Amino acid sequence: MSEMIRVLIVEDQAAEQATWKNVIELHNADPGALRFVTEFAVSLDEADAHLRDSKYDAAIVDIRLYQAGAAGANADGNAVIKRV
């Protein structure tokens, strides 16, 4: 049985999430490879909930997350990194 690495991916763009899912799925198809188990969050609040409820070996974080009601992207990704 191959080793599993738990990864939290914090990404607000659906297209980017799909890319990560596809790449990881292709990687996990190799029976001899290290296996990645991923969970996704789209906001600081979702990331906080995941971090409260689970432990991760690694995190991939979009630094500029969309924030509802804000004029554009913000730096919530930096807050996620501090919490990790």
Side-chain angles (χ1 to χ4, degrees):
M1 182 173 179
S2 60
E3 187 178 348
M4 291 188 348
I5 304 295
R6 292 181 45 83
V7 180
L8 175 62
I9 300 176
V10 183
E11 172 57 64
D12 57 353
Q13 300 293 317
E16 293 295 324
Q17 287 180 12
T19 299
W20 279 112
K21 288 176 186 176
N22 289 336
V23 168
I24 291 167
E25 185 177 296
L26 285 171
H27 172 83
N28 285 344
D30 181 351
L34 212 59
R35 195 163 157 70
F36 292 97
V37 176
T38 58
E39 292 186 34
F40 286 83
V42 299
S43 67
L44 175 59
D45 290 339
E46 274 190 34
D48 279 343
H50 282 288
L51 291 168
R52 258 191 323 272
D53 297 339
S54 301
K55 296 211 181 251
Y56 297 93
D57 300 301
I60 299 167
V61 181
D62 177 2
I63 298 298
R64 295 176 51 92
L65 297 171
Y66 171 77
Q67 185 177 43
N74 61 44
D76 277 355
N78 288 323
V80 173
I81 291 170
K82 287 178 184 176
R83 287 165 170 89
V84 170

